């Protein structure tokens, strides 16, 4: 667990281009690049190779070192979208922030997808934007 904790990729700050679509797209590219980086290899190994009982030992490290920071960044991007009127205020709810990382992990683990820029654009345009979009737009 210590080795995994030390090898987790760093994510950095949430993008802030001035619109939610571009910010979510760029954030997903950063997440993908982190997972594909040399430092993301340990995490990918745990996610891809361990069975459920083995992976359970790593759950806290993954939750606190990857999932929570990722959902916090998505929450920040969405909150900015609410402030700009791009996102409906009631979109600031817990499960909403799990959708993007859950899709990325599912497609990576189950489907073997490496998430091209086009795949990320489709995720944002077909899933995230319709979900978060303000009624006024």
């Amino acid at each position: 667990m210590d080795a995994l904790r030390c090898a987790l990729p760093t994510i950095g700050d949430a993008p802030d281009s001035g619109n939610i679509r571009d910010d979510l797209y760029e954030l997903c590219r950063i997440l993908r690049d982190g997972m594909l980086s040399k430092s993301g290899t340990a995490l990918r190994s745990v996610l891809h190779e361990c069975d459920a009982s083995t992976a359970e030992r790593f759950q806290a490290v993954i939750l606190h070192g990857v999932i929570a920071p990722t959902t916090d960044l998505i929450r920040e991007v969405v909150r900015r979208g609410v402030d700009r009127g791009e996102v409906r205020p009631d979109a600031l709810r817990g499960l909403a922030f799990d959708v993007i990382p859950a899709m990325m992990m599912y497609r990576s683990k189950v489907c073997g997808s490496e998430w091209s820029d086009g795949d990320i654009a489709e995720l944002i345009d077909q899933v995230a934007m319709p979900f978060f979009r303000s009624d006024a737009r």
Side-chain angles (χ1 to χ4, degrees):
M1 286 189 299
D2 289 340
L4 177 61
R5 188 177 293 111
C6 291
L8 290 176
T10 56
I11 301 172
D13 297 325
D16 189 4
S17 67
N19 75 74
I20 188 170
R21 192 261 178 217
D22 292 344
D23 291 347
L24 288 173
Y25 174 79
E26 187 57 32
L27 180 56
C28 287
R29 290 182 72 233
I30 291 167
L31 295 172
R32 182 230 20 227
D33 293 348
M35 291 296 288
L36 295 177
S37 71
K38 192 173 186 177
S39 64
T41 302
L43 177 61
R44 289 186 71 181
S45 294
V46 169
L47 293 175
H48 290 281
E49 302 299 328
C50 292
D51 61 22
S53 62
T54 305
E56 193 172 299
R57 293 185 298 174
F58 300 103
Q59 186 176 20
V61 173
I62 293 169
L63 284 173
H64 297 294
V66 178
I67 303 299
T70 297
T71 56
D72 288 347
L73 291 174
I74 295 168
R75 183 177 285 106
E76 181 180 339
V77 167
V78 172
R79 184 196 44 76
R80 281 194 234 128
V82 169
D83 293 346
R84 290 189 299 263
E86 297 175 290
V87 174
R88 62 186 204 293
D90 68 341
L92 288 170
R93 305 232 171 130
L95 288 178
F97 308 111
D98 291 336
V99 172
I100 291 171
M103 275 295 297
M104 291 183 80
M105 283 193 253
Y106 162 77
R107 292 275 304 270
S108 178
K109 183 172 175 72
V110 176
C111 304
S113 171
E114 294 297 331
W115 285 97
S116 69
D117 288 352
D119 293 334
I120 291 172
E122 287 180 10
L123 171 63
I124 300 307
D125 295 337
Q126 294 176 19
V127 178
M129 291 309 298
F131 180 79
F132 290 124
R133 186 174 294 129
S134 173
D135 293 335
R137 292 192 166 252

